[in-house]
Amino acid sequence: MVRSDSEPTPIPTATGRATGGTGPTRFRERFLQGEPVDAGVRTPILSSWRRSLALGLSPDQTVLPFREDFDSGGRLVRAAVPVLDRLQTRFSGSEMNISLADASGTVLLRRFGQSSLLRKLPAIQTVPGFVFAEQVAGTNGIGLALAERQLIRVYGAEHFAERSQRGACIALPVRDPLSGRIEGILCFGYPLSAETPALTAVIRKAAQATERRLLRQSSTRERALLQAYLATGADASGADAADGLDRAPTLDLRPRDREILKEKAAELISGAQRAAVDVSLPGGRRITLVSRPMTSASGVQGIAIEALLPGSAPGAPLLLPHQVDEVSGFPTAEATAESAAEPAAEPAVLSAVRSHPRLAVAERAGRAGRPPEIVEPSPAARGLVLLGEPHVGAYAVAARRRLELLSEASARMGTTLDVRRTAEELAETAVPRLADFVTVDLPEAALRGEESADPVEDLRRTVVHGIRDGLPFTPVGKRIEFGPTAPQLRCLTSGRAVLEPDLKAAAGWLAQDPEHTRQLLEHVHSLIAVPLVARGVLLGIASFYRAGEPYGDDDRSLAQELSTRAALSLDNARRYTHERAMVLALQRRLLPHGLPDQDAVEVAHRYLPAESDVGGDWYDVIPLSGSRIGLLVGDVVGHGMLSAATMGRLRTAARSYAELDFPPDEVLVHLDNLVGRLDREDPDGEGVGIIGATCLYAIYDPTTQRCVMARAGHPPPALVSPDGTVSYPDLPAGPPLGLGGLPFDAVEIDVPQDSQLVLYTDGLIEDRHRDVDVVLEQLREALAQPGRTPEETCQAILDTVAPAHPCDDIALLVARTHALDPDRIATWELPADPALVSDVRAAALRQLADWGLDEASFAAELILSELVTNAVRHGSGPIRVRLLYDRALICEVSDAANTAPHLRRAASTDEGGRGLFLVAQLSRSWGTRYLAQGKVIWAECELDAA
């Protein structure tokens, strides 16, 4: 049974003659005039006002429907009469008006604290039979309790009708304890001056007492069924009904056995048919359950379920285990005890057991932990498992299936961290076991991982799922707007589930879009709307529709529980999506935004984040001196913000080391030291190798068409020759970055013009479902197509080699090599003789003239003169001079010495020291590149700078 613990609080902030100084009179008047009053009226009252207007009700209405055919002697009345009599005694002398209405709002009973009220009040408030459902009476205690299905207070002008505005009322549903259905409404009406918080406790106790009496009625019926069962057993055995009943141990029922048998027995009772089924028990044992209809002397119809061990004769004496008092489906004494003044109703089976002396001895012995005394041995192995009325068995089966559904939901929902998929899992779990159709509406911001500022105005249809397609639901992707009377809006504003058992009678639902709702009513007729709220954040709304049996409060509780679990998974997915978006934004921000202008290679690249967590993969293209180009691919171990941030630091450091013209193996050494230092400086890492990375660095020289490369624990590159031949260069793997103390080896290979170098991270080839060698062979086949552009090669790799659902990031870099035209390269070699400097200048000027670079000759002459002079004076021979005509004019002077010049500021009295200053001023950039033997001093001149 479901009962809300929330209780509305009155808002006596407005005054008016109709309420005697209490109640939101001015808000009601403003509402009737069409003005907004959302901030001044409680949500249930405002929703009821809106529904009343949608129904066309008038506040001045004084006539209500009257039914002469109401059930004045039904089970609800029989259960409530003693309770209402005690309430009348309790409120004796007061102006309390006590009413009991049925589930349709028709008043069945009335009691008064003062008998004079019968003369003072109009018939509509004193005579049973009048209908107070919201559809005909507007906002009132009985009607609103039926609509909201929980405890409700209505004060003064909160009543829609003028006739009720001088008083207040509190109303509470009364439910059948077995089914959970609302059987009626208990309502207290009183003057506003008599308002007291104690009424809440009084009406709750009165409703609970009525519900216990309803349960007692069911218990009495079950006791009658048991007596009929025992009598049937006596006739079948030809002996006294008690004969053999002490033989309970014959069945040897273990606790797990009893659970299995009771579950199946409840299903058989709910089926209400004669049947026999075999039930498998642990250990390979089997028991046959037999169900047979029976009728008591008083006319109660039910089903008895017996267990029959293999070999038992159908006519053997009936056995009644002493454990029968634990059988589910029968109320316990504690559950049915109403008060000290009303004796407890014993379970039907247990009561019958205690009625026989021999059975009482066996029952007491069982409770004391002793085996029952065997009075009359019997060879039979047959006993009662469960008995009851079919509808009670159906409730037990439904309850178990609800628990099974919740258990299944825990396993099915939240399997991914995707917001949309989690919403789909909610719908798939609910259909068809709870609903025939489910729609889920989420704010667009939530789909992006953000928290919506106004989720009610930002809703979009995210999921439509049902037992069949083609229903006129708003399609996925469309914006959703709920009308002011829609149950979904009540659900969103109140923050709790809203149940509409009969949509044909739900004025608020019908009024929002008559044409659309009319079409839907051809397929569905019952609705539960549940807000998706997690950690205080409204994430959206789930709507459960049913075309068959109408929903009840147990269904609402189940839908609420499912939605609560789904909301937590949705919020986890939303938070993850938000964090992933932030990490991905950081990752993309730290990757190159554009490729440098150069002619050495033609480059294409791709970056694909993992489906789950974003890693720390990166790539880079770095222009180097002498028209060379550096190609860099790396992968930081781990995922998330830390990996992305570490990637940014490593990429920046790697670029800096590369621009210092370090060879690939030395760049990796410096990166290895950096990773180790980052690890030691990490306050949480404690120097245990938390940070790690792999890297591949290659330098391609277009003047020699050779490539030097080294790798640190990274997958090998692929080399595609111009004819389509694919090879993986024999490159030592090297240790991953961060281990420290281990060397890296560089390898130099020939790379003909129009070859392609393919660099990638391990996310492309490593997959738990694929073998690496097999993937490398697939990569070879994908690359063996000559004549492709780098862009086409990238796409072919992703289409044929990359996993469909990558669990790790993929960084891909494809570079097609070009060669610098030999006619654009001029080289001179000379000994370390100062007298030859002028000859070199003259030869360089002639070469510049041949290239048509006369305008650059002045700057080039001064730069070459200074660099060659420094090499002659401070270096050692032989000296080599090279001019490269690329995007810029590059002047290089190399010698065999390892000493490097340094730019400094010369004093006014110094005779020298100004040469490098002139070089720096005349060139775009300059620097030193070390060789295995000696060094190269270079300077680049802009071709339009002269």
Side-chain angles (χ1 to χ4, degrees), residues 599-807:
D599 295 326
V601 292
E602 179 185 351
V603 178
H605 55 84
R606 294 288 191 278
Y607 170 72
L608 270 70
E611 282 194 349
S612 55
D613 295 326
V614 178
D617 293 16
W618 88 92
Y619 61 87
D620 210 345
V621 179
I622 309 169
L624 302 175
S625 62
S627 292
R628 298 171 306 141
I629 197 73
L631 305 174
L632 187 67
V633 171
D635 182 6
V636 175
V637 174
H639 301 86
M641 191 71 71
L642 177 61
S643 296
T646 303
M647 178 277 290
R649 300 174 73 175
L650 289 184
R651 175 179 172 254
T652 301
R655 189 178 187 90
S656 299
Y657 296 144
E659 289 179 343
L660 290 174
D661 270 328
F662 291 141
D665 53 336
E666 291 189 24
V667 169
L668 296 182
V669 169
H670 288 295
L671 289 176
D672 183 52
N673 294 333
L674 174 62
V675 171
R677 185 165 61 253
L678 291 176
D679 194 22
R680 291 190 297 272
E681 293 173 355
D682 182 6
D684 300 323
E686 300 180 357
V688 294
I690 300 299
I691 300 175
T694 65
C695 185
L696 170 63
Y697 181 38
I699 298 177
Y700 171 70
D701 188 343
T703 64
T704 62
Q705 300 178 45
R706 295 184 65 81
C707 182
V708 182
M709 59 183 70
R711 61 180 176 135
H714 202 81
L719 176 62
V720 185
S721 300
D723 61 358
T725 303
V726 181
S727 63
Y728 296 102
D730 186 11
L731 181 61
L737 300 177
L739 296 182
L742 298 176
F744 300 94
D745 297 321
V747 171
E748 186 172 9
I749 61 174
D750 291 322
V751 181
Q753 183 175 355
D754 290 331
S755 297
Q756 289 190 359
L757 281 169
V758 181
L759 285 65
Y760 50 88
T761 56
D762 57 3
L764 178 67
I765 62 172
E766 293 185 5
D767 189 348
R768 69 185 67 179
H769 305 295
R770 303 187 299 172
D771 183 80
V772 173
D773 293 334
V774 174
V775 178
L776 287 176
E777 189 59 33
Q778 292 177 351
L779 179 60
R780 183 194 301 272
E781 295 175 359
L783 294 175
Q785 297 292 332
R788 279 180 177 160
T789 65
E791 285 289 341
E792 293 171 343
T793 300
C794 276
Q795 194 59 47
I797 293 173
L798 296 182
D799 291 342
T800 59
V801 182
H805 304 282
C807 57

Side-chain angles (χ1 to χ4, degrees), residues 25 67 77 159 327 342 352 392 416 418 438 452 473 475 516 549 563 571 652 740 742 758 775 791 817 859 889 920:
T25 304
R67 294 180 54 189
V77 173
H159 290 87
V327 173
E342 298 183 5
V392 177
T416 68
D418 180 80
V438 175
S452 177
F473 289 107
H516 181 234
E549 181 183 355
S563 300
D571 192 48
T652 301
L742 298 176
V758 181
V775 178
E791 285 289 341
T817 61
L889 178 63

Side-chain angles (χ1 to χ4, degrees), residues 250-288:
T250 306
L251 290 180
D252 189 22
L253 292 178
R254 304 169 186 172
R256 179 55 183 158
D257 296 343
R258 290 199 301 270
E259 292 178 6
I260 296 173
L261 293 177
K262 291 171 189 175
E263 287 183 5
K264 190 61 182 177
E267 294 180 2
L268 292 174
I269 291 176
S270 66
Q273 293 180 354
R274 185 184 299 272
V277 296
D278 284 340
V279 181
S280 299
L281 298 178
R285 295 171 297 128
R286 302 182 67 84
I287 283 184
T288 300

Side-chain angles (χ1 to χ4, degrees), residues 497-522:
V498 172
L499 168 61
E500 290 288 358
D502 186 2
L503 288 175
K504 294 181 180 179
W509 188 75
L510 294 169
Q512 61 173 338
D513 187 349
E515 179 62 24
H516 181 234
T517 53
R518 183 189 61 79
Q519 297 175 6
L520 274 179
L521 280 176
E522 298 177 1

Side-chain angles (χ1 to χ4, degrees), residues 13-221:
T13 56
T15 60
R17 63 184 184 280
T19 63
T22 306
T25 304
R26 69 166 181 266
F27 291 113
R28 179 176 174 277
E29 293 175 352
R30 288 170 52 191
F31 170 79
L32 294 176
Q33 293 172 4
E35 300 179 16
V37 294
D38 297 28
V41 182
R42 291 184 291 141
T43 300
I45 301 299
L46 181 57
S47 298
S48 181
W49 285 357
R50 288 171 173 167
R51 294 194 298 270
S52 298
L53 281 186
L55 289 164
L57 300 179
S58 170
D60 300 326
Q61 181 180 352
T62 58
V63 178
L64 291 181
F66 180 79
R67 294 180 54 189
E68 296 182 352
D69 59 343
F70 68 91
D71 189 358
S72 60
R75 59 191 298 262
L76 177 61
V77 173
R78 295 197 307 271
V81 163
V83 179
L84 265 64
D85 289 344
R86 290 199 300 272
L87 288 174
Q88 184 176 21
T89 302
R90 178 189 180 102
F91 292 112
S92 177
S94 69
E95 296 185 56
M96 184 67 69
N97 183 346
I98 306 166
S99 304
L100 177 72
D102 62 15
S104 66
T106 303
V107 175
L108 306 177
L109 291 174
R110 285 195 180 275
R111 296 290 188 273
F112 304 95
Q114 294 179 2
S115 58
S116 61
L117 292 176
L118 285 169
R119 298 186 299 271
K120 295 168 53 177
L121 296 176
I124 198 174
Q125 295 180 349
T126 58
V127 178
F130 284 98
V131 180
F132 283 83
E134 186 185 65
Q135 291 88 336
V136 294
T139 309
N140 69 91
I142 293 175
L144 193 52
L146 282 172
E148 296 291 329
R149 309 180 75 84
Q150 64 172 349
L151 186 142
I152 286 293
R153 272 189 165 95
V154 184
Y155 301 92
E158 289 182 335
H159 290 87
F160 187 75
E162 296 281 355
R163 65 174 181 274
S164 304
Q165 294 184 9
R166 293 189 177 277
C169 61
I170 180 172
L172 181 67
V174 176
R175 292 181 169 86
D176 186 325
L178 291 178
S179 67
R181 291 196 302 259
I182 293 179
E183 294 291 329
I185 299 294
L186 185 61
C187 181
F188 296 170
Y190 50 91
L192 289 167
S193 59
E195 168 64 26
T196 172
L199 289 178
T200 300
V202 174
I203 198 170
R204 286 193 187 280
K205 290 181 179 179
Q208 291 167 1
T210 305
E211 290 167 352
R212 284 196 295 268
R213 293 184 63 85
L214 286 172
L215 183 62
R216 171 180 290 183
Q217 294 178 11
S218 298
S219 178
T220 302
R221 296 169 68 89

